[in-house]
Amino acid sequence: MSAFAKLSFGAFITVQIFLICVWLFYYRKNTYNFQQSFNSNVYPKSSKAEKRHKTSTYIKHDVKTDDRNKNFTHSESVETEVGNKTYTLPTSYFKDKTITTTNKEEDSLTKKCPLIPSGLVGKLNVDKTPQTMEAVEKKYETMRDGQYKPKNCTARQKVAILIPFRDREIHLGIFLNHMHAFLMKQHLEYGIYVVEQTKGLEFNRGFLFNVGYKEALKDSDYDCFVLHDVDLLPENDHNIYTCPVDQPKHLAVASEKWQYKLPYTSYFGGVSALTREQYEAVNGFSNEFFGWGGEDDDFHNRVAWAKMSVYRSISGVGRYSALEHKPGAANPKRNEIISKGKERMWKDGLNSLKYKILQKTYKKLYIHIIVKIL
């Protein structure tokens, strides 16, 4: 190789090395500036509290979500939002990076509550002593607006307890005194809705359940609805007040007023639990049953016509004490209404509900709804 060729080759190598050094210098500088700008905006020095409490991430493109469990998957980009500022980053920025929080309370709430809560004892002592509302409120000082959520974990379901009501004030005090302790031990996030019918017409239990269902959903996205008579108190805390996703659940399978036996095989009264999807799949209860009896049998038929079966708690767990009361007047037309139930199923129920809310009060221990049937 000639001296000129060697000199030219050496010059070429030198230029290439110089260009690489320049590229590395500017690449590191730009990367550093980007990280500094991002950190200063996402984690402003002026507010440590904002860094802890107001930083959130959400997906912008190609989002697939499971609404119940709040799981997110994505493929393109992620937006980070703080206050009114939004920054878009490639998802690769978050690969192999661990997001942590210094807020212990937020950490605890990301943990799901156990499927079988600790601290359950099984058989309970049921206190039927009349209670003043003031005494019960003092006992449950942590309650607010008739709703409760666990402090140290996230409940697996949000449960609305729906209670049709009229002229049972003494029973209500006993019920609330017993039920709040029972539900809290099961680590449930719940609200208790007492739906009271105005005077004038015979009591319509199914109608009040439908109203309670509609009004509860205006307050929160409840997953599970427990349909509960105010005169029944569970005797065993292993009787978990949640809803199976595949079938409705009958909880009160052994009631004291029926000598702790099912009165008949298709009985679905007292206390039962359905998911939102199940309740809507049967169009709720019929609104036609005024007076005592019939609405539970019609509701059980709707479950069967929707091709669902009823899950029952075992009798040793699904035991309920009963509070004494004078039975209401029987509905003389109940058998006739039941006989035409299938043809009425999609004409009579949630989709035909007409009512007027006269009062909706968020009391300490429950949400009180006074409703007029139109």
Side-chain angles (χ1 to χ4, degrees):
M1 180 181 292
S2 67
F4 178 77
K6 289 181 179 180
L7 182 62
S8 298
F9 179 78
F12 174 80
I13 294 299
T14 302
V15 169
Q16 292 298 315
I17 292 173
F18 174 76
L19 292 174
I20 289 172
C21 289
V22 170
W23 181 84
L24 286 174
F25 173 77
Y26 279 100
Y27 173 81
R28 293 185 62 187
K29 182 178 179 181
N30 290 338
T31 301
Y32 176 78
N33 289 339
F34 169 78
Q35 291 177 342
Q36 289 293 100
S37 175
F38 175 77
N39 290 335
S40 64
N41 284 295
V42 176
Y43 305 118
K45 295 180 180 179
S46 60
S47 177
K48 293 182 180 180
E50 186 176 32
K51 179 171 71 174
R52 288 200 307 270
H53 299 296
K54 293 188 178 179
T55 301
S56 61
T57 61
Y58 64 91
I59 309 308
K60 182 178 181 182
H61 299 296
D62 194 17
V63 181
K64 298 177 182 179
T65 66
D66 176 342
D67 289 335
R68 179 164 296 174
N69 297 314
K70 307 300 181 187
N71 293 327
F72 296 89
T73 61
H74 59 87
S75 63
E76 293 184 24
S77 66
V78 177
E79 286 192 353
T80 300
E81 183 176 18
V82 182
N84 296 320
K85 296 182 179 180
T86 303
Y87 305 90
T88 302
L89 297 173
T91 54
S92 58
Y93 179 84
F94 292 96
K95 290 182 179 179
D96 302 322
K97 289 179 172 60
T98 301
I99 300 175
T100 60
T101 176
T102 59
N103 192 317
K104 293 183 179 180
E105 183 177 352
E106 289 182 0
D107 286 342
S108 67
L109 290 177
T110 61
K111 181 179 68 175
K112 290 286 187 182
C113 296
L115 284 171
I116 302 177
S118 59
L120 300 182
V121 297
K123 188 175 180 179
L124 303 171
N125 293 321
V126 177
D127 185 4
K128 296 184 180 181
T129 306
Q131 306 283 335
T132 66
M133 203 59 68
E134 292 76 12
V136 183
E137 287 180 352
K138 186 174 181 180
K139 182 176 179 180
Y140 298 106
E141 294 182 348
T142 59
M143 287 294 301
R144 294 289 183 274
D145 298 327
Q147 298 168 321
Y148 173 84
K149 65 172 60 177
K151 292 183 179 179
N152 299 319
C153 59
T154 299
R156 292 178 178 270
Q157 288 187 344
K158 297 176 71 173
V159 183
I161 314 294
L162 309 182
I163 305 166
F165 185 82
R166 181 194 265 177
D167 299 330
R168 297 283 191 88
E169 283 75 15
I170 294 176
H171 286 178
L172 182 59
I174 299 170
F175 178 88
L176 293 171
N177 181 59
H178 182 77
M179 289 304 299
H180 279 301
F182 175 86
L183 297 168
M184 288 177 182
K185 286 176 65 177
Q186 294 189 358
H187 295 173
L188 299 176
E189 181 175 349
Y190 67 89
I192 294 182
Y193 290 80
V194 176
V195 190
E196 181 175 0
Q197 181 181 328
T198 57
K199 308 288 185 180
L201 296 173
E202 291 291 335
F203 190 67
N204 191 325
R205 181 172 175 268
F207 180 91
L208 296 177
F209 279 135
N210 286 343
V211 172
Y213 174 86
K214 291 277 193 180
E215 292 299 315
L217 285 175
K218 292 178 182 179
D219 293 340
S220 187
D221 56 339
Y222 289 104
D223 308 294
C224 176
F225 296 83
V226 177
L227 316 174
H228 212 302
D229 286 346
V230 73
D231 60 340
L232 292 180
L233 307 174
E235 297 182 2
N236 192 310
D237 60 10
H238 290 152
N239 191 5
I240 305 298
Y241 273 43
T242 55
C243 292
V245 297
D246 55 343
Q247 59 190 141
K249 179 165 68 172
H250 189 211
L251 296 163
V253 299
S255 172
E256 182 182 9
K257 68 180 177 181
W258 302 115
Q259 292 75 51
Y260 292 104
K261 297 178 182 179
L262 276 179
Y264 46 91
T265 55
S266 62
Y267 178 66
F268 196 42
V271 187
S272 54
L274 295 89
T275 65
R276 179 176 180 176
E277 294 78 10
Q278 292 161 2
Y279 199 84
E280 294 187 356
V282 299
N283 197 23
F285 277 82
S286 166
N287 300 312
E288 297 299 319
F289 288 88
F290 289 89
W292 181 85
E295 76 284 344
D296 285 330
D297 295 329
D298 184 80
F299 192 63
H300 182 272
N301 291 340
R302 291 183 177 216
V303 169
W305 291 327
K307 302 188 183 304
M308 293 185 287
S309 58
V310 174
Y311 166 79
R312 297 190 191 276
S313 300
I314 59 175
S315 58
V317 172
R319 290 172 62 92
Y320 283 77
S321 292
L323 302 175
E324 293 184 3
H325 66 93
K326 182 180 178 180
N331 181 357
K333 297 182 179 180
R334 62 184 184 276
N335 291 329
E336 179 184 348
I337 300 172
I338 290 173
S339 68
K340 299 178 180 178
K342 193 169 186 178
E343 64 187 66
R344 288 184 301 97
M345 181 171 173
W346 292 107
K347 301 176 185 178
D348 168 26
L350 287 175
N351 61 1
S352 65
L353 194 62
K354 295 180 180 180
Y355 65 94
K356 181 179 180 181
I357 297 297
L358 302 183
Q359 180 178 310
K360 186 173 183 179
T361 308
Y362 295 83
K363 298 188 176 183
K364 186 179 182 69
L365 300 176
Y366 63 100
I367 298 98
H368 186 200
I369 300 170
I370 300 177
V371 59
K372 180 179 179 180
I373 299 176
L374 298 179

